[in-house]
Amino acid sequence: MTNTPFPDGFLWGGATAANQIEGAYDEGGKGLSVQDVMPRGISAPRSDRPTPDNLKLVGIDHYNRYAEDIALFSEMGFGVYRFSIAWSRIFPKGDETEPNEEGLAFYDRVLDELEKHGIEPLVTISHYETPLHLAEAYGGWTNRELIGFYERYARTLLERFGSRVKYWLTFNEINSLLHAPFMSGGIPIPEGGVPEQQLYQAMHHELVASARATRIAREVAPEAKVGCMVLSMPIYPLTPSPDDARAVMDADHGNLVYGDVHTRGEYPGYFLRTLREKGIALEITDQDRDDLTNTVDFVSFSYYMSIAETADPAKRAEGEGNIMGGIANPTLEASEWGWQIDPVGLRLVLNQFWDRWQKPLFIVENGLGARDQLVEVDGEKTVVDDYRIAYLNDHLVQVGEALEDGVDVLGYTSWGCIDIVSASTAQLSKRYGFIYVDRNDDGTGTLDRYRKKSFGWYADVIRSNGASLTR
Ligand code: BGP
């Protein structure tokens, strides 16, 4: 198609995560992960052991229905499908020396299905799924031993699947660790909170582990492309005052340092100043410094919303943003879950990342969580999700603008291409999919799948390579 800014070969698809889609939390030799004891997502205390109200234990039963789901993705014309491999399916406790073959065999079957449909796999090695044993017996990523356990896990995946998987992401939203230590870093959170020294040391361990996975990929899967994955969130000053502009710079630095390290191979000066001012002396070995120089091939990121920032503490009302808070922006509408809807923000962040890192970019999460109503139209069960079509259309139009700006964008995988359990609240009612799944927050439902209106809309977008978007 000529009347589209999207290049030939642009990778269109969708994204999910093992803990939110698979279920079968204790099948196939899988061990417990931190997600199995987070029945209410980030916002509520964890449980000691899995509880029946944790929707992730069953998810949408993708562990058994993956072939049906992938066939639906293929019907939409997906060129790429992002999913994560559950670490505790491969190493149930995380510190074993030998992997669980049943776990590896499950992902062999998923890859077989994707190959059958000509869909490119994009694999997240760790998507908030640290084995629970590593959290409880080692303290999660505060413990340097996790680097070795992760390295063994990554090497196992790259050796087993490296010839079949071209695109790899090391950690999902690696920049969320300071904000969600247990979910993102497998760090048990004591009464008084996790001491900052330990949080920053955990951040360093993950960055070293990410770089080591990149080095291993070069060694065992030279054709593979390795990306980091960050949560992106454009930050606007609440007022034009220089103090608010500086508050934005400080907040940006906190988010961008992870991409800086992954693309430059060392810590930037502003981050070293932060450590000095916090009185934090990281334990960094010469080997760590050498490891960090293994920089990524591309940068991937999630985008849902933008936020505002201010230097005025009195104005710091409780803004609601995904994981990273922020101040509500009075110029924007919000979703039912309070996430501010800002399509232009996606163009801004694409330009910011391209200008800053000059690495190809991949949007691996973008979507609208909404309460969908299952109805019957012409005898077919469906959802008339015009609001989701509008959200995705407007965001994709901005991707097209960024492409016109000269930004190198590899692809787009819409988040939650099928209804799955949400991460922040562990609800199913916060639906993102092009495909409705009949399961409710109380666990009832048939698990049947139904095409929403956006299913056909997205198929047209893919078929026309973006020409069908409404600009
Ligand atoms: C991101 C996570 C995803 C996904 C997404 C949507 O932070 O990487 O796993 O969950 O948020 O958020 P939620 O599911 O909380 O609506």
Side-chain angles (χ1 to χ4, degrees), residues 314-335:
K315 290 181 189 157
R316 291 197 66 81
E318 276 316 298
E320 167 64 23
N322 180 25
I323 299 178
M324 288 184 180
I327 309 291
N329 180 331
T331 69
L332 295 173
E333 298 297 315
S335 76

Side-chain angles (χ1 to χ4, degrees), residues 5 7 10 301 346-355 358-361 399-410:
F10 185 81
F301 62 92
L346 180 50
R347 179 182 179 185
L348 300 181
V349 86
L350 281 163
N351 273 277
Q352 180 189 33
F353 286 5
W354 175 247
D355 294 346
Q358 289 285 294
K359 291 275 184 181
L361 302 174
V399 176
E401 293 294 337
L403 286 161
E404 302 271 15
D405 297 333
V407 178
D408 181 355
V409 189
L410 295 172

Side-chain angles (χ1 to χ4, degrees), residues 158-176:
L158 287 158
E159 285 174 348
R160 176 75 167 239
F161 306 123
S163 61
R164 308 174 76 185
V165 176
K166 182 176 174 186
Y167 297 100
W168 295 84
L169 308 181
T170 57
F171 286 90
N172 181 67
E173 297 186 334
I174 193 166
N175 56 329
S176 66

Side-chain angles (χ1 to χ4, degrees), residues 16-17 19-20 35 41-42 82 127-129 172-173 176 183 229 231 302-305 322-323 337 339 364-370 415-416 420-427 430-432:
T16 67
N19 76 90
Q20 297 170 260
Q35 290 292 345
I42 309 172
R82 178 194 175 208
H127 194 129
Y128 295 154
E129 296 152 351
N172 181 67
E173 297 186 334
S176 66
M183 180 173 82
M229 195 288 196
L231 184 159
S302 59
Y303 179 78
Y304 294 96
M305 74 194 81
N322 180 25
I323 299 178
W337 272 266
W339 292 11
V364 295
E365 291 185 25
N366 176 241
L368 178 67
W415 176 255
I420 51 181
V421 182
S422 92
S424 50
T425 61
Q427 293 169 294
K430 188 176 185 188
R431 298 175 183 277
Y432 284 88

Side-chain angles (χ1 to χ4, degrees), residues 13-17 20-21 60 73 76 78 81-83 127 304 364-370 372 385 388 392 412-423 428 430-437 452 454 458:
T16 67
Q20 297 170 260
I21 191 169
I60 61 165
F73 301 160
M76 280 189 274
F78 279 21
Y81 170 53
R82 178 194 175 208
F83 62 99
H127 194 129
Y304 294 96
V364 295
E365 291 185 25
N366 176 241
L368 178 67
D372 291 346
D385 56 343
R388 179 168 295 109
L392 294 171
Y412 174 91
T413 55
S414 174
W415 176 255
C417 46
I418 184 170
D419 290 350
I420 51 181
V421 182
S422 92
L428 258 163
K430 188 176 185 188
R431 298 175 183 277
Y432 284 88
F434 300 108
I435 301 157
Y436 183 93
V437 176
K452 301 180 191 176
S454 54
Y458 197 45

